[in-house]
Amino acid sequence: MLLKSVLKRQQTAKIPQTISKVTITQKRPTLKKIITYLILSLFFFSAYSQTTTTGQKLSLDKGWRFHLGDIPFPIVKGHGFSYGTSKAGAATGAAAVTYDDQSWRKLNLPHDWAVEMPFDSTENISQGYRKRGYGWYRRSFQLTEADKGKNIELQFDGIATNATIWVNGTIVHHNFCGYTSSYIDITTLAKYDGEPNIISIKVDAVTHEGWWYEGAGIYRHTWLVKRDALHIITDGVYANPVKKDQKWTIPAEVIVANSGVKIENASVEVKVVDQTDKVLAISSANVTVPVFGQAIAKVNLTVDNPTLWSLENPKLYKIVSSVKRNETTTDRVITKAGFRTIEFTADKGFFLNGKNIKLKGTCNHQDHAGVGNAVPDALWEFRIRKLKEMGSNAYRCSHNPPSVEFLDACDSLGMLVMDENRNFNTGDEYIRQLQWLIRRDRNRPSVFIWSVFNEEPFQGDSRGYEMVRLMSAKVKELDLTRPVTAAQSGGQLSELNVSHAADVVGFNYQKDNYDEYHQKYPNKPMFSSEDVSAVMTRGVYAADKKRGYIPSYDENFQPWGSTNRVEWKMVDQRPYLAGCFVWTGFDYRGEPQPNEWPSTGSSFGIMDLCGFPKTAFWIHQAQWRNDIPVLQLVPHWNWPTDSIGKNIRVMAMSNADSIALFLNGKLIGGQKVDHYEMNFFKIPYQPGKLTAVGYNKDKKAVSKFVVETAGQPNQLQLIPDRKTLKNDGWDAMPITVQVLDKKGVPVPTANNHITFEISDGAAIIGTGNGDPTNHVSEKTNQRSLFNGLAQLIIQSKEGATGTITITAKADGIKLGSATIALVNSAVPAFVPEFSTVINLNWIMSPFTNEKQDPIRSIGETDMNTWAAVKAGSLQNFATGNFTVFRSTFIPFKKQQLRGATIKIKKLKGKAEIWLDGKLAKTKTTVTEEDVEIALPPKEGERILNIMVEGSKGTSAGLGGAVTVE
């Protein structure tokens, strides 16, 4: 096929079907130059974490009500009910504005209810034997008169799996993917007079999109965004620089929207700022924005010799985009940014900033021990640090868009990201999802390639080719700075397949086809998008089929895969392969292959579900890192007394040139290091110290590792990941738990049952130990060690001061403790919690000159005699002296049992107040007054009628809200 030349955003040019590079050109070239240079260098300037600074982006995570299970809607029968429930704002059941949610559980987001559920052998193995089902969430918030005229948007970063969202009783959104964000403009539906705005969300987690654990509920952050009517839309800043003569020319685009009442002539300014707030470049453009329309401002900036974003030095700048009306800034978006170049070639693989780099990647799902998919922001940083410690430089989001906070961590720490679409579908809704992904992530320095699918049935035929051709075109309408790939598990050698529509060909478990494909298409860039699928259980060195434990010698793998050692050798010895993505960096829930119950989680991980290293971690560290000495031995050196004298199989992993092993000071043997297969020894067991020493080519010792026989468990040890914790209520950290003997040596075989206590200032939000067969709840303060280790995850409490003390206790050994200092940190701006009250809705009778019967009935088919009115607006008594306001409502359950108070604000005119057909109070004054009446206990529906007497030509009635409290 013909590929689009990756030039400036709006430019296209034909390129030969087989190419040796997938790049961005430095200037507009001729077709001849494209062929001559085989497409020049790919670059991009990237941005992330858009933050509205003149408006407000407020966290909506606090104060939600949650109900586990479905709440069926009432069956609609009868003309009146049918008519009424068909109107705006008239949702019924748990979506109704007046629904009683007071008995629901109160919680903060993010929330994954699946991780709270017990393990159940009858549930779906792919979802980790956890029940998912349905759930409901509700949240109330207030807007003020000052918010009128602003653009109001709700943002839900991720809801698993599908969701229906109501605002103030009106359906505003259907979410059809658990991994895409929902941006919902509620400007026209919001209430601004202090009345509660009610969000109701039904989550369908019976629906699944993947064959792995997906969690359930609102598992990512939520936001309320208030902006000027003249504003930059969400994900509305895009920068696409062109590198020329060592300069970066940035043709930036800013999308401006107008929800105001008149056409706006606006000025858009974009500037690039460094870490010292020095302005490096600035440019502006004028746009005319129609009412309820958008306009794109395009500007060009030039930056001289910026420090490039790299894996070792992920330097970030800021792009500041401002919208001005008559010199007054109405909106400003600050976007962190990184400059770098990328390039794929068919013969030498991948280049970052002109440097040939082998992709040393891992594939990963997004759940973590203790928290499921509701991963605190700080845990993403922890997980990326662990991968970089191993030597990984790339991360494949398998198989879905990740969270914003994950990408923030990759941008700031220097980790390349293969950003992957979830659903292989070219229907309108799914193209919209793909376009959302590109818009959200297209400016990030970490994201270097788009993946449109993973292992699809159509991948080897013309249908798949046409689908990828279309999806690739849709991607390139929005971003020409990165190539498109697909993770293809077969069909690459068929006559027409998806690889012909991809810029870079991804191979899943196709190592036997690398050479043949490269020979057939010598100008096509290639990489291993997924490989290995080796299985092992951390700390296990002998098979235990009953428990499903798998030895950790990197010798067990699924039929389609291979070992970590063999796969890397295949990739590393082929310069034309850009690199690989190992399945997987971390264990995850679900897919306990090759096992089933009682195993509930995978064993594919290089690390377990907590992030504790397995043998594969040190294999890859030895293979992938040359910047530090690496030397590690497995297994542990704690064996039963009947093992004395018997050979123990020892595996050594090192990047030295040779190694020697010593047992209790005596040389046992030495070997030249096999940097692919690693080294194995058979050593007769004797308790004591087994020492390995690594040597360079000059026989100089460059590394040393000691594994020592530990005694009986004596004391618990807690090892926090960091020394401090921010007191913002969001910060979290994992704490490693282990047992030491009397000499302070960790006991690698310990499986003690631990109970944790924590002081004020933080809370325990989860525990784990990496045991795929452990069925204990992850949401308690107890956990057993598994092969010497467990993990405790804590999260700070907002505004706490001083220190946090965590204590671990186990029978028969000394307790362990850790103290963590709390540091002052700005609390994220949030939407205040609002205590829900019932705000009554009203209908009003026609005006009459004579006094009316306030409790008279209304015919079921009479939809027009009485008019809907809003409390808070007085009525003009132009055609009569009397009218009746009527509200039918059901009090909250507690109010039905205990009674309540009906508060009528700013009632103007003489009035009779009738409750349930009885006169409750008479107002004899015409002035505006607040009136209260008692609501006696009673089950079921209540009817409130207020007959108001006014004078013709004057205003009277319900001047304020009427609430039941």
Side-chain angles (χ1 to χ4, degrees):
M1 64 172 284
L2 293 177
L3 294 176
K4 288 185 177 180
S5 175
V6 191
L7 306 173
K8 294 181 181 178
R9 189 106 35 91
Q10 284 75 29
Q11 300 169 1
T12 59
K14 294 183 178 181
I15 304 174
Q17 175 180 342
T18 55
I19 60 173
S20 63
K21 296 183 181 180
V22 176
T23 63
I24 298 295
T25 56
Q26 296 178 355
K27 58 183 179 180
R28 180 193 292 268
T30 63
L31 179 59
K32 180 178 180 181
K33 287 184 178 179
I34 295 174
I35 298 173
T36 303
Y37 294 107
L38 301 172
I39 310 178
L40 298 176
S41 60
L42 175 66
F43 65 87
F44 83 76
F45 173 94
S46 183
Y48 76 80
S49 191
Q50 296 186 358
T51 304
T52 304
T53 54
T54 33
Q56 290 179 294
K57 184 174 183 178
L58 307 172
S59 169
L60 200 61
D61 285 353
K62 291 183 182 180
W64 287 81
R65 298 280 183 175
F66 171 69
H67 173 82
L68 179 61
D70 195 12
I71 300 176
F73 288 94
I75 296 174
V76 177
K77 288 184 177 180
H79 179 74
F81 197 19
S82 298
Y83 185 90
T85 56
S86 301
K87 302 301 179 180
T92 61
V97 170
T98 57
Y99 184 83
D100 183 4
D101 60 18
Q102 299 302 293
S103 63
W104 290 12
R105 172 186 170 191
K106 190 175 181 181
L107 52 76
N108 296 334
L109 305 177
H111 174 234
D112 176 1
W113 84 66
V115 76
E116 301 172 349
M117 302 297 287
F119 291 99
D120 184 342
S121 62
T122 66
E123 290 295 333
N124 188 346
I125 182 175
S126 293
Q127 296 291 336
Y129 295 105
R130 305 270 197 163
K131 185 176 181 180
R132 302 178 76 219
Y134 297 92
W136 280 85
Y137 295 85
R138 284 172 60 93
R139 172 69 148 88
S140 301
F141 67 95
Q142 288 179 299
L143 295 170
T144 68
E145 290 291 326
D147 294 318
K148 281 188 175 179
K150 294 180 181 178
N151 181 265
I152 309 296
E153 183 175 270
L154 295 176
Q155 297 180 358
F156 298 91
D157 288 350
I159 305 175
T161 295
N162 292 351
T164 304
I165 302 173
W166 292 260
V167 172
N168 295 331
T170 297
I171 289 180
V172 294
H173 189 73
H174 290 288
N175 168 55
F176 295 103
C177 178
Y179 305 98
T180 60
S181 297
S182 301
Y183 307 146
I184 308 167
D185 188 330
I186 63 167
T187 306
T188 58
L189 292 171
K191 300 176 182 179
Y192 298 93
D193 53 6
E195 286 190 60
N197 289 277
I198 311 294
I199 306 169
S200 305
I201 303 176
K202 180 182 178 179
V203 179
D204 169 9
V206 174
T207 301
H208 71 94
E209 293 179 276
W211 50 97
W212 60 88
Y213 177 87
E214 296 186 286
I218 309 177
Y219 71 98
R220 290 180 182 169
H221 290 303
T222 58
W223 309 93
L224 175 68
V225 181
K226 302 178 184 181
R227 294 177 285 215
D228 191 275
L230 184 65
H231 60 276
I232 299 170
I233 69 168
T234 303
D235 301 333
V237 174
Y238 181 35
N240 179 31
V242 177
K243 186 180 179 183
K244 180 180 179 181
D245 299 330
Q246 301 305 311
K247 293 183 179 181
W248 294 80
T249 303
I250 307 169
E253 295 182 359
V254 179
I255 303 176
V256 182
N258 175 18
S259 58
V261 297
K262 65 177 184 178
I263 296 173
E264 294 277 13
N265 294 312
S267 172
V268 178
E269 178 189 86
V270 182
K271 59 185 177 182
V272 182
V273 180
D274 68 11
Q275 287 78 1
T276 66
D277 289 331
K278 178 183 178 182
V279 177
L280 305 180
I282 188 169
S283 185
S284 62
N286 296 322
V287 291
T288 299
V289 193
V291 175
F292 293 123
Q294 297 180 353
I296 301 177
K298 299 180 181 182
V299 300
N300 286 279
L301 305 99
T302 299
V303 178
D304 295 330
N305 299 317
T307 300
L308 299 185
W309 184 94
S310 67
L311 302 174
E312 302 78 17
N313 181 29
K315 184 71 173 290
L316 296 170
Y317 293 80
K318 291 187 292 186
I319 294 181
V320 182
S321 303
S322 302
V323 179
K324 296 181 180 181
R325 178 198 295 120
N326 298 326
E327 302 302 319
T328 299
T329 299
T330 63
D331 196 14
R332 180 183 295 117
V333 170
I334 299 176
T335 308
K336 291 185 179 178
F339 295 76
R340 53 87 155 149
T341 67
I342 59 173
E343 178 184 16
F344 282 89
T345 72
D347 56 348
K348 293 183 179 179
F350 176 71
F351 292 79
L352 177 65
N353 298 327
K355 179 182 178 182
N356 190 207
I357 292 175
K358 206 77 165 180
L359 296 172
K360 302 168 183 176
T362 62
C363 305
N364 294 283
H365 291 309
Q366 57 183 0
D367 57 317
H368 190 89
V371 296
N373 275 1
V375 179
D377 300 350
L379 277 187
W380 293 123
E381 187 263 349
F382 165 78
R383 287 165 67 95
I384 299 304
R385 278 195 286 109
K386 294 298 294 184
L387 290 169
K388 286 184 69 74
E389 177 187 341
M390 179 179 67
S392 178
N393 59 22
Y395 188 112
R396 178 184 175 207
C397 302
S398 307
H399 306 286
N400 50 264
S403 72
V404 167
E405 294 74 27
F406 161 81
L407 291 172
D408 288 347
C410 292
D411 285 343
S412 63
L413 294 176
M415 175 68 73
L416 293 167
V417 174
M418 177 177 169
D419 211 345
E420 191 155 275
N421 176 56
R422 168 74 292 271
N423 293 295
F424 188 45
N425 190 323
T426 51
D428 290 346
E429 165 61 21
Y430 298 96
I431 290 296
R432 184 197 66 79
Q433 293 176 17
L434 174 64
Q435 291 172 325
W436 162 83
L437 169 66
I438 307 306
R439 286 192 182 98
R440 189 195 68 166
D441 298 347
R442 60 186 174 174
N443 293 320
R444 290 183 173 273
S446 58
V447 176
F448 75 108
I449 194 168
W450 305 114
S451 173
V452 295
F453 77 64
N454 173 74
E455 298 178 359
E456 289 291 336
F458 306 158
Q459 62 193 5
D461 61 33
S462 60
R463 288 177 298 173
Y465 165 79
E466 290 295 340
M467 291 173 72
V468 171
R469 191 169 71 90
L470 172 60
M471 295 173 82
S472 179
K474 293 298 182 181
V475 170
K476 291 175 182 178
E477 286 177 2
L478 298 171
D479 177 49
L480 288 172
T481 68
R482 300 169 186 80
V484 172
T485 190
Q488 193 173 349
S489 57
Q492 285 96 336
L493 297 174
S494 63
E495 183 177 353
L496 185 64
N497 64 83
V498 300
S499 73
H500 301 141
D503 300 325
V504 179
V505 186
F507 286 76
N508 282 21
Y509 308 104
Q510 297 291 302
K511 63 179 182 296
D512 294 336
N513 292 332
Y514 293 156
D515 293 339
E516 185 175 354
Y517 189 91
H518 183 56
Q519 291 171 5
K520 188 173 182 179
Y521 302 102
N523 296 317
K524 196 79 170 179
M526 301 167 52
F527 73 113
S528 173
S529 45
E530 184 176 323
D531 55 30
V532 180
S533 274
V535 289
M536 63 182 74
T537 308
R538 179 184 58 76
V540 172
Y541 301 97
D544 187 335
K545 293 184 179 181
K546 183 178 180 180
R547 295 185 178 183
Y549 294 161
I550 305 167
S552 293
Y553 285 109
D554 192 37
E555 294 175 332
N556 295 274
F557 53 89
Q558 290 297 80
W560 55 84
S562 187
T563 67
N564 291 276
R565 293 165 294 144
V566 167
E567 287 284 0
W568 176 245
K569 185 176 182 178
M570 292 284 294
V571 172
D572 193 44
Q573 291 185 339
R574 287 162 173 77
Y576 63 82
L577 280 178
C580 69
F581 288 86
V582 177
W583 189 265
T584 54
F586 297 86
D587 279 341
Y588 54 94
R589 295 166 177 81
E591 288 197 302
Q593 304 167 8
N595 303 313
E596 294 183 356
W597 184 268
S599 294
T600 63
S602 81
S603 298
F604 293 115
I606 295 170
M607 291 173 273
D608 69 14
L609 196 60
C610 299
F612 295 135
K614 301 183 190 179
T615 300
F617 181 94
W618 295 300
I619 290 173
H620 285 297
Q621 191 176 62
Q623 293 172 336
W624 289 354
R625 295 199 67 170
N626 56 18
D627 58 326
I628 61 170
V630 176
L631 180 57
Q632 183 80 25
L633 299 178
V634 296
H636 56 76
W637 209 240
N638 269 54
W639 300 98
T641 55
D642 61 4
S643 296
I644 293 175
K646 296 180 180 178
N647 282 334
I648 301 296
R649 191 178 184 214
V650 174
M651 184 179 186
M653 294 142 285
S654 179
N655 59 4
D657 289 291
S658 62
I659 53 174
L661 266 59
F662 302 83
L663 180 57
N664 296 326
K666 181 180 178 181
L667 178 65
I668 298 297
Q671 295 180 15
K672 182 180 178 180
V673 170
D674 187 328
H675 294 109
Y676 290 118
E677 292 291 338
M678 306 296 120
N679 295 79
F680 290 87
F681 299 82
K682 289 184 178 179
I683 300 177
Y685 177 65
Q686 291 291 335
K689 291 184 179 181
L690 180 63
T691 303
V693 179
Y695 301 92
N696 63 16
K697 292 179 180 180
D698 297 327
K699 306 302 180 183
K700 180 181 178 181
V702 292
S703 53
K704 181 179 179 180
F705 183 82
V706 178
V707 56
E708 183 175 359
T709 305
Q712 293 298 310
N714 178 260
Q715 181 176 348
L716 284 161
Q717 183 184 40
L718 302 180
I719 308 172
D721 179 58
R722 290 177 278 125
K723 294 181 180 180
T724 62
L725 191 68
K726 297 176 183 177
N727 68 346
D728 56 7
W730 286 34
D731 197 13
M733 78 162 68
I735 298 174
T736 298
V737 187
Q738 63 182 8
V739 169
L740 308 178
D741 68 7
K742 289 183 178 180
K743 298 185 294 181
V745 177
V747 184
T749 56
N751 294 299
N752 303 72
H753 182 77
I754 315 296
T755 300
F756 302 101
E757 295 178 358
I758 189 168
S759 63
D760 289 340
I764 296 169
I765 61 171
T767 62
N769 62 14
D771 181 357
T773 66
N774 191 304
H775 299 158
V776 175
S777 171
E778 298 172 71
K779 293 298 184 180
T780 69
N781 68 331
Q782 300 183 42
R783 177 64 50 181
S784 295
L785 299 177
F786 176 62
N787 293 329
L789 296 172
Q791 187 175 81
L792 178 71
I793 302 172
I794 66 170
Q795 189 167 42
S796 68
K797 294 181 180 179
E798 183 183 310
T801 58
T803 59
I804 303 164
T805 300
I806 305 101
T807 304
K809 299 179 180 179
D811 291 341
I813 58 177
K814 298 177 183 178
L815 62 80
S817 66
T819 300
I820 300 169
L822 286 162
V823 295
N824 289 328
S825 179
V827 175
F830 64 92
V831 179
E833 299 178 50
F834 181 68
S835 179
T836 302
V837 298
I838 299 177
N839 270 262
L840 301 186
N841 295 317
W842 298 90
I843 56 175
M844 186 184 78
S845 73
F847 289 106
T848 61
N849 291 321
E850 303 297 329
K851 189 174 182 179
Q852 302 182 20
D853 177 5
I855 60 173
R856 70 185 186 276
S857 62
I858 307 172
E860 185 183 13
T861 60
D862 183 355
M863 305 302 171
N864 300 294
T865 303
W866 291 58
V869 295
K870 184 176 182 297
S873 299
L874 296 175
Q875 303 297 319
N876 181 11
F877 280 60
T879 60
N881 297 322
F882 293 91
T883 190
V884 176
F885 297 90
R886 177 172 294 178
S887 180
T888 303
F889 64 97
I890 298 176
F892 293 153
K893 193 68 175 178
K894 289 182 179 180
Q895 295 171 339
Q896 295 180 42
L897 295 174
R898 303 173 187 174
T901 300
I902 298 176
K903 296 183 178 182
I904 307 167
K905 299 290 186 181
K906 300 180 180 179
L907 179 59
K908 187 175 182 181
K910 296 178 181 180
E912 291 180 0
I913 302 169
W914 294 70
L915 178 63
D916 298 333
K918 296 180 181 180
L919 182 63
K921 195 163 189 172
T922 301
K923 178 176 180 285
T924 59
T925 61
V926 297
T927 56
E928 188 174 272
E929 297 176 7
D930 293 346
V931 178
E932 294 186 2
I933 66 169
L935 179 71
K938 181 182 175 182
E939 292 186 0
E941 186 177 83
R942 314 298 285 271
I943 300 177
L944 182 64
N945 290 283
I946 303 176
M947 184 173 65
V948 176
E949 179 182 355
S951 301
K952 288 184 180 180
T954 63
S955 295
L958 306 179
V962 182
T963 60
V964 182
E965 301 180 29

